[in-house]
Amino acid sequence: MARRQVGSTRRVGDGGSFPFGGALHSKSRSSPLLSICLVLVGACLLIGYAYSGPGLFKSIKEVSKVTGDYSCTSEVQRAVSVLNKAYGDGMRKVLHVGPETCSVVSTLLKEDETEAWGVEPYDIEDADSHCKGLVSKGLVRVADIKFPLPYRAKSFSLVIVSDALDYLSPKYLNKTVPELARVASDGVVLFAGLPGQQRAKVAELSKFGRPAKMRSASWWNRFFVQTSLEENEGPSKKFEQAVSKGLYKPACQVFHLKPLH
């Protein structure tokens, strides 16, 4: 529409109507508010076009959708330094269980004197070459956590799980969580979603097969009692002290459990 207006102005000018053009120029001088309004309208049209079409603005719009989601797996990466303070030598041999475990394993391997492995509960066909490289090296494996883990008891000093248990029904949780505690020698750290947190519904249904179930802390505590799992008080207190000092602010629920021996 703006182009048609420019064309019509040119036709008027070509027809020799310069006095009209001068009058419009004079009027715009006397009405700066009109010019400002026209500029604002044009800016709005450009922004609207940018968001509706391909290019940078579309990418920004897509990123905003992603950041509206949450990930306890990214929380694990943020909490690594605090976990080091809480568990000390317990971080020497770590197993992470959950989606995008490749990113967590890569972060843990950067820590001094830390060995890390990962279990990806879901398909990794779309994983990048780095992740597939970790799989080929045996550091990451794909396994259904509804069934016993392919590790011996106490295979790892610490087991960390995130973004996986929220998708399991109590029927499978009764088997999976004790299984995580079985393969740990020093403890299990469970990152769980908070009630009210949102996820991308289409993505989770296509990948996980069911929507996430965000359970309250009281629900989890009852579950731990029913499955004979106890709080790992020492590391839990150190973790809470680090949080109180502002070293880390959890966006997910964090539970510290003793291993099953």
Side-chain angles (χ1 to χ4, degrees):
M1 185 173 182
R3 291 177 181 175
R4 288 198 297 271
Q5 289 175 344
V6 170
S8 63
T9 303
R10 288 177 179 172
R11 286 196 295 271
V12 171
D14 293 340
S17 301
F18 289 102
F20 176 76
L24 180 60
H25 183 64
S26 175
K27 184 176 180 180
S28 66
R29 258 191 232 166
S30 60
S31 304
L33 184 59
L34 177 61
S35 300
I36 294 173
C37 290
L38 289 173
V39 170
L40 291 175
V41 170
C44 290
L45 289 173
L46 286 173
I47 293 173
Y49 173 77
Y51 268 82
S52 62
L56 176 62
F57 286 99
K58 185 177 181 182
S59 299
I60 294 173
K61 187 177 181 181
E62 290 174 349
V63 169
S64 68
K65 288 181 179 179
V66 174
T67 55
D69 196 4
Y70 85 98
S71 169
C72 288
T73 296
S74 61
E75 281 293 301
V76 174
Q77 297 179 74
R78 289 181 52 233
V80 166
S81 61
V82 179
L83 290 171
N84 275 321
K85 294 180 181 296
Y87 285 90
D89 291 340
M91 289 287 286
R92 66 186 180 277
K93 195 172 183 181
V94 181
L95 173 69
H96 174 262
V97 179
E100 301 179 11
T101 190
C102 290
S103 61
V104 176
V105 170
S106 298
T107 299
L108 291 171
L109 289 174
K110 295 176 183 178
E111 298 293 311
D112 294 335
E113 300 180 0
T114 296
E115 299 177 45
W117 288 264
V119 172
E120 168 63 65
Y122 306 102
D123 186 61
I124 59 169
E125 286 185 359
D126 297 331
D128 57 25
S129 58
H130 175 69
C131 183
K132 290 180 179 179
L134 293 175
V135 173
S136 64
K137 292 177 183 178
L139 295 176
V140 172
R141 64 169 66 191
V142 180
D144 192 338
I145 60 174
K146 296 176 183 176
F147 301 97
L149 294 173
Y151 303 108
R152 295 178 180 178
K154 304 180 185 179
S155 292
F156 307 94
S157 54
L158 187 67
V159 174
I160 304 172
V161 58
S162 61
D163 288 332
L165 302 182
D166 292 332
Y167 293 96
L168 296 183
S169 66
K171 172 185 175 181
Y172 292 109
L173 284 174
N174 288 332
K175 300 177 181 178
T176 299
V177 179
E179 183 67 7
L180 295 171
R182 179 187 68 83
V183 300
S185 62
D186 291 356
V188 176
V189 185
L190 191 162
F191 285 75
L194 286 163
Q197 285 177 318
Q198 300 297 318
R199 284 184 181 273
K201 300 300 182 183
V202 175
E204 71 178 9
L205 287 174
S206 62
K207 184 171 184 178
F208 307 119
R210 57 176 290 161
K213 176 70 173 179
M214 306 306 173
R215 303 170 173 101
S216 65
S218 59
W219 188 96
W220 280 110
N221 288 326
R222 288 194 301 272
F223 170 79
F224 297 145
V225 171
Q226 293 169 1
T227 50
S228 301
L229 293 167
E230 301 177 5
E231 180 186 11
N232 205 350
E233 295 182 1
S236 179
K237 289 180 179 178
K238 292 179 181 179
F239 190 89
E240 290 174 1
Q241 289 172 357
V243 171
S244 66
K245 293 178 182 179
L247 300 178
Y248 166 68
K249 184 177 180 181
C252 295
Q253 300 181 90
V254 185
F255 301 98
H256 303 265
L257 305 174
K258 289 182 179 180
L260 289 178
H261 293 159

